[in-house]
Every structure is written in C-alpha cells, then in structure tokens.
Amino acid sequence: MADTAMSGSTSETESGAEGAEAEGLDRGGPGFPGGPLQTAVWRLRSRGCWADAAALLESRPGAAAALQRAALLVERCLFTENGWPEAEEALRGAEALAKDDDERGSAACERGHLAYAATVLGVRDRADEARSALGRAAALLHPDSPGRPLLDFRRGLVAEHISDSPQSARAAYRRAHAGATAHNKTLLLSFTWRHLAGLALREGELAEARHGFAESLRIREELGYLVGTAPALAALADAEPEPEASRLRAEASRLFHLLDGVPTWLAAQLPPPPPATA
C-alpha cells in the first residue's frame, strides 16, 4: 500500500491497524460493571493475552459477555494477524444472542470492525461489508448510546484508511472524541487523540500533532495498556525531531520485543533490539 502522510515511515496498513487495534473494551465491555473479573480480563488483555482473557468470559451467559469475548478475539487478529476463524465464530455467537437494538447495534459495530481489519491488513477486501455493518450499527444505536463514540471512531477509520477521505475522518474522530469524553471512555480517547494527531501531521501541523500523540501515550501509560504503548511511542516519534525521535523509537522497540513482536505490523517501523550483553 502507498505511504500515507502520517509519516514517511508509517504505511497505510500500519497506521490503519493501530487505530483498529482495540478501543471497544474500555476497561470492561458493554454492559459490564467493574469488578474482579473485568480487572483480570483487563490485565490479560493489556499484556497481549487475548485468548486467556476471552477464556475467562466463555462461561458467562448473555450477549454482553459474548460481545466482549468477540471483541477480544478481533483485537488479537489486529495485533497478531492470526486467529480470524475464532474471531468470526465468536462474533457470530454474539450476533445470535443479541436481543435489542443496542445489542444488535454493538454486534454490527464489531462486524464492521472485523471487516475493516481484514481489509486494512490485506487479508481480504471486505470494505463493502465494513461500510454496510457500520451503517447498520448507526441505524440501531441511539445517538446517546455509550456505544456511539466507538461507532463514530470506527467510521472515521473507514473514511481515512479505506475511502481516503480525511475531512470525513476528522469529523468522525471529533464526534468520537467528544462522545468518549462525555461517557468517560478513557482508552478510546487515546485513539481519538492519536488519529486526530495523525491528520494534523499529515497537514504539517507539528505542534498539534505532538500534543495529540503525547496525550495518547500518556493515557496508555496511565492505564497500563502495555500492548498499545509501543505504537504510541512510535507515533510520537514521527512528530519529534532528533535525537528525541530515535530515543522514542528505541523505547518502542524494547517494548515490542518484550511482547514477542506484537503488534506484528509495527516491525517495519522500529530499529532492531540491541545485542544481548554477556
């Protein structure tokens, strides 16, 4: 794929996948309060242990648990580029259990997200399916629904990385940002900051880009979202001058290799790890 103007070293696949990696599981999935189970799920998920996190939810009844489990497995696809059949199966199960408009809309949002991910990662072109599913979600989710900011964000991703419409993407990201603030979706804010910053960088607005990338990184570090920290460091490096850019990329590389090369699409952006010392 052609390079975007996110940076000279960030490909469309990489920047698009970074946005898609996971924001719908904001410290607990739809319909779930906080508690020991959600804390355990978060700790596993934030370290890239998606299958283990999903297994904790397997025996939980209802659409909310099924949807959260599906979202975890979709996130694994985005980080590892593997596990697509398991994610599809989990999503079909969540769709079958959805009973009201909010649950159906949330399931459609996940369906669009999975189709978007397959498209942007080059697995299979499912762009039409992504647009259709997200449009269905928009028709089902009430404008004040807690799931609406996530839907707006994902529609922004499609506009930016599939339709190549940065103006439409910016409008969608701003709606998502405002909604995430109103609904206290802290992790989602790290994604809206990052993608608004990416569009600013594309237009040469370096100060705005640095601010947005720095906010995204700050949120991920404060939440302990370890698996998303290396991409945030690499994104900020694209807006910083040397030697700060090299320092940030070296730190991103350290985390990337600590997590066994996850997310896979970040490898091309990062320097190799330093040789081990005796």
Side-chain angles (χ1 to χ4, degrees), residues 6-254:
M6 298 283 280
S7 77
S9 63
T10 303
S11 74
E12 184 174 341
T13 298
E14 290 158 349
S15 60
E18 202 282 336
E21 63 193 24
E23 57 291 321
L25 308 165
D26 213 325
R27 297 298 297 268
F32 278 88
L37 175 62
Q38 290 303 320
T39 297
V41 168
W42 169 258
R43 285 175 177 169
L44 289 166
R45 177 220 174 177
S46 64
R47 289 159 176 77
C49 302
W50 298 282
D52 291 338
L56 294 179
L57 299 165
E58 198 161 6
S59 62
R60 289 288 297 265
L67 185 60
Q68 187 182 13
R69 183 172 177 274
L72 284 163
L73 295 175
V74 171
E75 180 166 293
R76 180 178 65 169
C77 295
L78 289 159
F79 274 87
T80 68
E81 301 181 60
N82 285 304
W84 301 93
E86 292 86 351
E88 288 278 3
E89 181 181 0
L91 183 52
R92 285 194 296 269
E95 290 168 336
L97 288 170
K99 296 295 189 291
D100 58 32
D101 282 354
D102 195 62
E103 290 175 349
R104 293 187 188 98
S106 295
C109 187
E110 285 302 326
R111 169 63 61 189
H113 185 43
L114 182 61
Y116 164 83
T119 303
V120 80
L121 290 172
V123 176
R124 183 158 62 91
D125 185 351
R126 297 171 60 178
D128 289 343
E129 181 186 352
R131 293 188 186 97
S132 175
L134 294 178
R136 188 164 65 253
L140 288 165
L141 290 173
H142 190 275
D144 295 328
S145 168
R148 196 77 190 202
L150 175 60
L151 172 62
D152 286 334
F153 177 73
R154 289 175 173 173
R155 295 183 90 178
L157 290 175
V158 170
E160 182 180 2
H161 296 290
I162 293 180
S163 300
D164 192 24
S165 178
Q167 290 184 339
S168 296
R170 181 181 291 104
Y173 293 151
R174 285 176 174 167
R175 289 194 303 272
H177 192 86
T181 301
H183 289 284
N184 197 29
K185 299 285 188 181
T186 309
L187 184 59
L188 179 54
L189 282 173
S190 84
F191 287 91
T192 55
W193 274 122
R194 184 258 189 272
H195 278 264
L196 287 167
L199 292 175
L201 184 61
R202 183 171 179 168
E203 295 179 353
E205 300 291 340
L206 285 179
E208 183 179 344
R210 287 190 194 107
H211 175 69
F213 288 140
E215 284 296 295
S216 178
L217 176 61
R218 177 188 63 79
I219 290 170
R220 293 180 185 197
E221 289 180 333
E222 288 179 357
L223 291 178
Y225 186 46
L226 185 63
V227 78
T229 300
L233 286 163
L236 181 57
D238 288 341
E240 292 284 4
E242 294 294 352
E244 180 65 4
S246 291
R247 186 194 70 78
L248 289 165
R249 290 193 183 96
E251 178 62 12
S253 180
R254 184 187 70 80

